[in-house]
Amino acid sequence: MPPTDNVMDKLVSLAKRRGFVFQSSEIYGGLGSVWDYGPLGVELKKNIKERWWRAMVHDREDIEGLDAAILMHPKVWEASGHVAGFTDPLVDCKHCKNRFRADDPRIKGTPGEPTVQCPVCGSKGTLTAPRMFNLMFRTFMGPVEEAAAVVYLRPETAQGIYVNYLNVLQSSRQKIPFGIAQIGKAFRNEITPGNFIFRTREFEQMEMQFFVKPGTDLEWFEFWRHERMKWLAGLGVRPEKLRFHQHTKDELAHYAKDAHDVQYEFPFGWQEFEGIHNRTNFDLSRHQEFSGKKLEYLDVATNERFIPYVVETSAGADRTTLVVMVDAYHEEEVEGEKRVVLRLHPAIAPLKAAVFPLVNKDGMPELARRIFDDLRKHYNTFYDDGGSIGRRYRRQDEAGTPFGITIDGQSTQDGSVTVRDRDTLKQIRVAADRLAEYLAERLRS
Ligand code: GAP
């Protein structure tokens, strides 16, 4: 059963215990809303990114891949509107120096009864009027720290695609409609970060910009909405926990004509983890204007020139990782004992199998090692000979490993092993020399 209470606390604790996610710089007390991925977490996130890349780039003839640098010419962010518009209204407490979003409910109070007290130090009348605060991280390029040398850490990967649009178009010989996909880090100096890896200051995006002829953008928007939902369902996420939310006029970003969030019902409510955006020709037009470089497309068949419209699919790799972890987290009673299990889709599970010699004698470890060495050529596999077999199973349940392979007394006699299914807990005997084939079949289904 999916638990209903304190799921986030339990997940954060499991993530640390099993090596999925650690707090950044933990031995120094941590760094606010920055997280590190441990041995299992890095595999899980990598599997999600690889699955996305396969679906968006390798499986399609009309999308090309790109890996643009994080640092870009500062004019990019003027053209994109981020210097002027990527801001949150903030208020400061002059006494304790804490900073809050102006729409923080602790400050807003109730209508007719505004709270003007600092929610942290309790001082009265010390809050400033709201001021706009830019979310981009700034740094300096070169040896001199002066205004002329300011560069930004990109707040979205999309701009790296727009400024390379012509390069990719010309080198790949694509024709419109076509897309460019990229996975990479983005940075935002979020003021109210939180909820584990949901909102962080450094995160990874999986973005695809699809360039289309103006007038066909609505059709392509629909197409990509459906494609993305299909892909997400293929990750094994429960469909009743997914929904679309169309942005109201107030919610739309400065570049968007229409935007649909894909939301998941997290323990802290329905929240966005991916967006499909109709960005019109806003970005390319602005880059044409600011760079002075023509970014028009010539349709040879009709002899028409136009600046393409863009339909964007923008997913957070970290948020998608959180979605699959939350969705997979289950607690259940097995023979009077509590079992915690991550029912991850086998295709994205960090480890596909774990190999256990039942006891460390009578030829079992030698056979188990041979089986392990054979399996790890095909799959990320784990070897564990520590503690009771029950405890070893429990550890792999928490890691989300779909198959547990035990080498017992019978194995050394007839060459068969038991395969335990993480979800059904059923165990069957399989000949060791057929194991790789058997797992391949099960992992395909
Ligand atoms: N290029 C469009 C764009 O960046 P966005 O809605 O601001 O749109 C897209 O971000 C996705 O990036 C979000 O749905 C989310 O998954 C992820 N994301 C944005 N800010 C994030 C943050 N502070 N921490 C983690 N993920 C974030």
Side-chain angles (χ1 to χ4, degrees), residues 404-415:
I405 293 149
T406 304
I407 288 75
D408 56 17
Q410 190 178 330
S411 310
T412 55
Q413 305 296 314
D414 67 7

Side-chain angles (χ1 to χ4, degrees), residues 67-185:
D67 183 13
I70 288 170
L71 300 177
M72 300 180 73
H73 195 292
K75 273 208 158 171
V76 167
W77 305 109
E78 284 175 39
S80 70
H82 283 82
V83 170
F86 197 51
T87 49
D88 272 347
L90 300 180
V91 298
D92 291 290
C93 172
K94 285 185 267 188
H95 182 246
C96 69
K97 311 284 184 234
N98 271 293
R99 199 162 245 192
F100 314 91
R101 279 175 69 124
D103 60 2
D104 188 321
R106 295 172 304 172
I107 295 172
K108 269 168 79 178
T110 50
E113 203 185 334
T115 307
V116 287
Q117 193 171 358
C118 172
V120 172
C121 71
S123 306
K124 287 192 176 144
T126 55
L127 297 182
T128 63
R131 283 191 291 226
M132 295 314 267
F133 175 81
N134 198 292
L135 300 183
M136 282 195 292
F137 279 98
R138 291 195 316 166
T139 186
F140 301 95
M141 199 149 119
V144 199
E145 293 199 5
E146 58 176 36
V150 164
V151 290
Y152 301 95
L153 302 190
R154 67 182 176 202
E156 61 169 4
T157 61
Q159 299 301 326
I161 293 181
Y162 301 137
V163 300
N164 276 296
Y165 152 75
L166 271 189
N167 284 335
V168 176
L169 179 72
Q170 286 160 1
S171 58
S172 66
R173 302 172 59 233
Q174 287 280 0
K175 290 191 172 50
I176 272 178
F178 84 104
I180 305 177
Q182 147 148 315
I183 298 177
K185 291 260 177 162

Side-chain angles (χ1 to χ4, degrees), residues 156 188 190 198 200 205 207 272-273 279 312 314 316:
E156 61 169 4
R188 297 182 190 177
E190 301 278 4
F198 177 79
T200 53
Q205 291 188 314
E207 295 201 306
E272 164 208 353
F273 68 106
R279 294 181 74 135
E312 170 187 64
S314 175

Side-chain angles (χ1 to χ4, degrees), residues 86 155-158 162 188 190 197-205 207 209 247 255 261-262 272-275 277 279 312 314-320:
F86 197 51
E156 61 169 4
T157 61
Y162 301 137
R188 297 182 190 177
E190 301 278 4
I197 53 172
F198 177 79
R199 183 171 286 112
T200 53
R201 296 193 164 107
E202 173 177 344
F203 54 96
E204 255 183 307
Q205 291 188 314
E207 295 201 306
Q209 316 296 318
H247 279 208
Y255 51 72
D261 289 342
V262 186
E272 164 208 353
F273 68 106
E274 170 152 359
H277 311 133
R279 294 181 74 135
E312 170 187 64
S314 175
D318 311 84
R319 272 196 205 168
T320 308

Side-chain angles (χ1 to χ4, degrees), residues 223-431:
F223 174 84
W224 280 111
R225 243 169 50 93
H226 284 104
E227 281 299 296
R228 293 307 302 144
M229 199 50 122
K230 222 165 55 192
W231 185 82
L232 290 165
L235 282 184
V237 180
R238 284 168 288 171
E240 69 272 20
K241 294 278 181 183
L242 293 172
R243 72 177 190 196
F244 279 115
H245 163 73
Q246 182 174 14
H247 279 208
T248 60
K249 273 214 159 59
D250 293 346
E251 290 172 296
L252 281 177
H254 60 274
Y255 51 72
K257 164 171 149 188
D258 193 9
H260 289 214
D261 289 342
V262 186
Q263 296 185 330
Y264 178 80
E265 191 179 17
F266 288 98
F268 45 89
W270 286 96
Q271 294 286 344
E272 164 208 353
F273 68 106
E274 170 152 359
I276 295 96
H277 311 133
N278 184 342
R279 294 181 74 135
T280 70
N281 59 8
F282 175 83
D283 301 271
L284 288 184
S285 303
R286 296 274 293 191
H287 286 306
Q288 175 165 294
E289 182 190 332
F290 279 67
S291 69
K293 178 112 184 149
K294 276 247 169 299
L295 296 178
E296 282 174 351
Y297 179 82
L298 171 65
D299 188 333
V300 182
T302 62
N303 214 19
E304 282 175 277
R305 276 181 194 282
F306 54 83
I307 296 185
Y309 267 43
V310 169
V311 175
E312 170 187 64
T313 72
S314 175
D318 311 84
R319 272 196 205 168
T320 308
T321 303
L322 184 61
V323 166
V324 299
M325 287 183 80
V326 168
D327 204 66
Y329 186 93
H330 285 74
E331 290 173 359
E332 53 195 38
E333 285 265 315
V334 178
E335 291 160 7
E337 259 189 66
K338 192 176 113 186
R339 172 171 100 117
V340 173
V341 54
L342 280 193
R343 295 188 194 278
L344 293 170
H345 189 303
I348 55 169
L351 293 160
K352 307 301 182 217
V355 175
F356 314 115
L358 185 61
V359 289
N360 282 313
K361 55 179 187 184
D362 302 334
M364 289 179 223
E366 292 78 5
L367 180 56
R369 274 268 158 205
R370 275 210 300 280
I371 290 172
F372 171 61
D373 286 338
D374 184 38
L375 277 185
R376 69 207 286 217
K377 287 186 207 132
H378 308 278
Y379 306 109
N380 196 21
T381 310
F382 190 73
Y383 186 88
D384 190 0
D385 59 5
S388 76
I389 191 72
R391 289 186 62 142
R392 284 182 267 169
Y393 285 151
R394 297 282 177 278
R395 284 200 287 264
Q396 291 307 315
D397 286 344
E398 287 196 342
T401 310
F403 301 108
I405 293 149
T406 304
I407 288 75
D408 56 17
Q410 190 178 330
S411 310
T412 55
Q413 305 296 314
D414 67 7
S416 70
V417 298
T418 65
V419 179
R420 171 186 180 268
D421 182 299
R422 174 198 71 196
D423 299 336
T424 64
L425 296 176
K426 288 213 177 90
Q427 301 203 22
I428 62 158
R429 289 202 86 86
V430 174

